Amino acid sequence: MTKIELDHVTKEYGSLVAVDDIAIEFTEGAYTMILGPSGCGKSTTLRMIAGLETPTRGDVLIDGEVVTDQPPRHRNLSMVFQSLALWNHKSVRENMGFGLQMEGVDKEERNARIEEIAAVLQIEDKLDQPPSELSGGQQQRVALGRSLVRKPEVILLDEPLSSLDEKLRLEMRTELARIQQELGTTFVHVTHNQEDAMTIADEILLLNEGEVQQFGPSLDLYHEPDNEFVADFIGSPSINLFDANIVENGAVRLDAGGISLDLPERHRDQYLSVPRSDVRVGVRPESMYLGDDGESGWPAFSATVDVVETFGDYNWYYLQSDLEESLVSQSANVNVMNSLSRGDEVTVRVNPESVHLFDPKSGEAYF
Amino acid sequence: MSANYTTRRRAVTGLRFGLLAVALVVFLFPFYWMFKTSVEPTDAVYGDVGLLPGGFTFTHYEQAFSVGFHESVINSLIVAIGTTVLTTVVALIGAFSILRYRYPGRGGAAKLVLLTYMFPHVALIVPVFYLAAQVGLLSSPIMLIAMHTMLALPFCMWILMAFLEDIPRELEEAALVEGASELGAFARITVPLSYPGIIAAGTFAFIMSWGEYMFAFVLMRESASHTVPVALHQLLGAYAIDWGLLAAVSIIATVPVLALFWLMAKYLGEGIAKGTGVV
């Protein structure tokens, strides 16, 4: 297995800082997603690992060895491109065998290995066609096969799912996760899709404007976001965010202007330890319980259902309250789903254990 | 659809083919006349003017061999093939470099190439002759190949840049990641993908070199070194013009170009359309 390390890597294009001082050690043999909005530097980061871009400052290390100035061919890695970058003047077999040929593997063994991988990817009957004659999903498999056949230590994937239609995307997503688990190869996958990242990644590196926002196991980013950006970017629908003041009036209360949330006594010290009284509050949609749902001791307020979006096994409820911001709640409770519809007045209970507080200036998380 | 509409469409189609036929006759008539003159006996050339040959003979072709015209064909082939290979290789590397790499003077280099295309070539005759004489390359195909490469290079680079621009960089990067060197990726991926452009550029260079007269006349002093256009001109006698012989050597001079065109026609359209932006 191979360890990839970015040692304070910065990439500048003229005055534009694409990647700003990233210092990360990717976990060996893990499926890592580099996630972020477009223009956040995620592709540039991947291309620096591949050796297709040279950092302005800092070093890329593979297995402890500095490879910053090494060309891609000396890094024992492979890459699946967003455009797939298949060579249509070559057959599928030649596409897949190119890397082995470069390594000097003889034709017989080359064919054996191509056919082995082609069987795994279910493209063994397409080997002698040019890639242009294949469907989108099959081309995707060829591109992946070209990377897998060399059994590299690291496979880099640059938005490989973005060109596929929804159904195929979900299929390929699962397949990528399965292949990665089977082979134990380190996968570093760039995506702007937080759902792809959450569902299959072992760990996520979330970037914004070239800077690391958070790096860690996927669920950590969901449950313990380091800052407001992470909380907002991860999760669908997005986390509810609003301004509030911490008020001590016998009990501790979050006063958001229109609504007040009285917090249980056991949270008293935690809230009073926050260095300032004005805070940014974040509550995940599934932590907002509607009607009879939730526990009676939880802080509550009333709201009106504005829009209901149905997904079958759960609903999204968009709520208007005395807050300026529209709130959203996700409920899978059958009673709620059967009884609540547009225009209804409803009690909203907030699970106090899952309230996030952020510094309103820096966005850093208090808890 | 009404019968009226169908009739009108047929009329339009008919008119199109009619115009095309007229254009073809206008273009091809001189070639036909050349062929006709090359196969009729000399006295028929000066006889009554008719559309059909006034007799049939190979005399003029035999005569062409006896005056050594085939030697100039060989000279021309050497120069034209040399020019084609050199131009194509240099244009390909130049176009690739300008498109793919960032370095100071890159944009200037691209403009300079176009400038040489605009430059009045007559102004080069004296310095080029002087240079060739100094380095002892008068009557040598090397100097003429160099000059023809200079003439053909701008347009060929232009064609190839248009081609390479359309080849996504990721196709080369995929090869780099799979273990190829920069040069390996260029040779194995970029070059095969630009074959139509390479063929268009090569054909242009060949035809240009085959028909170039001015530099060939100035540089190829010895008669044994004459290329086809120069040799052809030498056959225009001062007192009498042998029309049959001239027509025959003209036919011989046309054949290699026609053959090349016929072989490459499939790629030429695409190559020239892309290079000139006419699609």
Side-chain angles (χ1 to χ4, degrees):
Chain A
M1 286 206 233
T2 302
K3 189 169 72 180
I4 303 171
E5 229 179 305
L6 298 176
D7 182 16
H8 297 280
V9 165
T10 296
K11 177 70 183 179
E12 291 166 2
Y13 296 101
S15 61
L16 179 87
V17 183
V19 170
D20 192 2
D21 195 34
I22 293 188
I24 289 289
E25 258 182 53
F26 293 95
T27 307
E28 290 172 56
Y31 200 130
T32 304
M33 288 270 194
I34 304 182
L35 176 67
S38 53
C40 73
K42 53 190 189 298
S43 281
T44 307
T45 305
L46 196 75
R47 290 170 58 83
M48 286 193 289
I49 298 172
L52 296 170
E53 301 280 349
T54 313
T56 313
R57 281 185 296 281
D59 281 313
V60 178
L61 288 84
I62 294 180
D63 271 342
E65 193 192 329
V66 176
V67 295
T68 315
D69 296 318
Q70 297 283 337
R73 65 180 187 279
H74 293 157
R75 300 189 180 202
N76 191 24
L77 44 75
S78 188
M79 182 159 165
V80 178
F81 290 83
Q82 182 168 13
S83 66
L84 303 186
L86 295 172
W87 304 305
N88 284 320
H89 65 294
K90 294 173 182 289
S91 68
V92 167
R93 187 187 296 277
E94 288 167 331
N95 267 271
M96 288 176 67
F98 185 86
L100 294 174
Q101 201 183 344
M102 291 290 105
E103 279 178 10
V105 176
D106 66 59
K107 198 172 174 185
E108 210 167 301
E109 199 192 331
R110 231 157 53 208
N111 276 329
R113 280 165 72 175
I114 290 167
E115 275 151 30
E116 179 197 331
I117 295 291
V120 173
L121 296 170
Q122 296 159 6
I123 47 171
E124 62 267 59
D125 55 337
K126 309 286 179 200
L127 286 175
D128 296 310
Q129 296 177 23
S132 53
E133 286 177 11
L134 273 53
S135 73
Q138 288 163 344
Q139 291 188 10
Q140 188 78 43
R141 285 158 203 270
V142 175
L144 188 60
R146 181 172 66 185
S147 286
L148 292 174
V149 81
R150 251 174 56 231
K151 300 197 166 77
E153 301 280 356
V154 178
I155 293 183
L156 308 173
L157 305 105
D158 188 5
E159 303 256 13
L161 303 172
S162 62
S163 60
L164 302 177
D165 64 53
E166 185 65 10
K167 192 170 173 294
L168 203 54
R169 195 172 63 85
L170 298 185
E171 247 176 67
M172 277 309 291
R173 187 168 85 181
T174 315
E175 197 159 336
L176 281 176
R178 182 177 60 78
I179 289 169
Q180 192 273 332
Q181 277 162 20
E182 266 172 35
L183 302 178
T185 311
T186 306
F187 272 38
V188 181
H189 178 149
V190 159
T191 182
H192 65 276
N193 186 318
Q194 63 92 19
E195 191 191 302
D196 286 349
M198 281 305 292
T199 44
I200 61 173
D202 297 317
E203 56 183 17
I204 294 177
L205 168 61
L206 180 55
L207 299 180
N208 188 36
E209 292 177 349
E211 289 178 26
V212 176
Q213 300 298 313
Q214 190 165 351
F215 176 61
S218 335
L219 286 177
D220 282 9
L221 272 77
Y222 189 81
H223 292 300
E224 293 160 39
D226 280 353
N227 60 44
E228 194 183 321
F229 178 86
V230 177
D232 195 30
F233 197 85
I234 306 271
S236 172
S238 290
I239 192 167
N240 295 294
L241 286 162
F242 52 90
D243 292 316
N245 284 299
I246 300 173
V247 182
E248 192 193 4
N249 182 13
V252 184
R253 159 188 289 184
L254 276 177
D255 186 359
I259 62 169
S260 295
L261 301 174
D262 290 313
L263 293 152
E265 188 57 28
R266 63 177 183 280
H267 291 287
R268 185 186 180 87
D269 292 347
Q270 192 188 15
Y271 277 81
L272 291 179
S273 70
V274 172
R276 53 195 292 167
S277 64
D278 57 326
V279 290
R280 196 90 173 125
V281 182
V283 184
R284 292 255 174 232
E286 69 276 17
S287 301
M288 285 203 171
Y289 292 77
L290 302 179
D292 299 335
D293 209 5
E295 287 173 26
S296 55
W298 287 355
F301 59 94
S302 64
T304 312
V305 177
D306 192 22
V307 176
V308 181
E309 288 179 2
T310 328
F311 292 86
D313 50 346
Y314 60 88
N315 288 353
W316 289 353
Y317 297 92
Y318 290 87
L319 308 166
Q320 292 296 338
S321 65
D322 290 334
L323 275 182
E324 227 174 273
E325 295 88 350
S326 169
L327 301 173
V328 56
S329 162
Q330 176 175 320
S331 182
N333 181 306
V334 179
N335 289 338
V336 171
M337 288 165 68
N338 285 341
S339 63
L340 212 55
S341 53
R342 201 196 145 129
D344 289 350
E345 287 280 329
V346 69
T347 304
V348 184
R349 288 195 174 78
V350 176
N351 180 353
E353 310 298 335
S354 55
V355 171
H356 300 279
L357 291 193
F358 304 101
D359 184 311
K361 293 279 181 298
S362 68
E364 292 299 312
Y366 294 126
F367 55 82
Chain B
M1 285 299 144
S2 66
N4 195 10
Y5 178 79
T6 317
T7 319
R8 245 177 56 198
R9 261 199 9 198
R10 277 197 193 136
V12 169
T13 313
L15 191 68
R16 267 191 205 150
F17 276 105
L19 284 174
L20 201 61
V22 171
L24 267 181
V25 168
V26 170
F27 279 121
L28 292 181
F29 186 74
F31 289 94
Y32 168 72
W33 202 253
M34 190 163 79
F35 174 74
K36 169 187 168 284
T37 311
S38 77
V39 292
E40 60 186 4
T42 306
D43 48 0
V45 176
Y46 292 107
D48 296 331
V49 177
L51 271 182
L52 292 174
F56 191 86
T57 172
F58 275 120
T59 324
H60 302 308
Y61 288 89
E62 285 160 14
Q63 207 183 340
F65 269 94
S66 65
V67 300
F69 190 74
H70 57 284
E71 282 163 27
S72 68
V73 171
I74 291 167
N75 288 338
S76 263
L77 278 176
I78 291 170
V79 172
I81 291 171
T83 301
T84 304
V85 172
L86 188 62
T87 304
T88 312
V89 170
V90 173
L92 193 59
I93 294 170
F96 186 75
S97 156
I98 284 177
L99 281 176
R100 287 289 192 259
Y101 296 104
R102 303 272 167 268
Y103 47 86
R106 176 179 141 270
K111 280 186 196 127
L112 204 65
V113 168
L114 267 187
L115 190 72
T116 62
Y117 202 48
M118 313 289 170
F119 196 82
H121 298 135
V122 178
L124 290 175
I125 290 181
V126 175
V128 165
F129 180 79
Y130 183 67
L131 176 69
Q134 291 282 304
V135 295
L137 284 178
L138 278 179
S139 300
S140 152
I142 295 172
M143 193 67 196
L144 193 58
I145 288 172
M147 286 318 294
H148 285 178
T149 301
M150 184 212 81
L151 295 177
L153 197 59
F155 187 68
C156 291
M157 251 181 90
W158 197 9
I159 291 179
L160 286 170
M161 274 166 72
F163 254 86
L164 294 182
E165 227 170 10
D166 280 359
I167 298 174
R169 173 78 176 134
E170 286 198 343
L171 293 181
E172 285 159 27
E173 288 177 343
L176 295 180
V177 167
E178 292 306 315
S181 61
E182 286 273 352
L183 198 65
F186 177 63
R188 286 162 187 277
I189 306 298
T190 317
V191 170
L193 286 173
S194 31
Y195 274 155
I198 292 171
I199 285 168
T203 309
F204 172 81
F206 186 92
I207 291 171
M208 198 267 351
S209 171
W210 188 262
E212 200 277 331
Y213 175 73
M214 192 173 71
F215 285 106
F217 174 71
V218 172
L219 293 172
M220 306 310 253
R221 308 303 298 168
E222 286 163 26
S223 60
S225 72
H226 283 168
T227 57
V228 165
V230 181
L232 219 157
H233 192 221
Q234 302 293 319
L235 289 177
L236 287 173
Y239 303 106
I241 293 175
D242 189 341
W243 293 113
L245 174 62
L246 269 180
V249 298
S250 298
I251 291 286
I252 295 170
T254 313
V255 167
V257 178
L258 271 185
L260 187 70
F261 231 93
W262 185 70
L263 281 172
M264 301 303 173
K266 201 179 117 197
Y267 306 98
L268 268 177
E270 191 190 344
I272 288 171
K274 248 188 196 168
T276 53
V278 183
V279 177

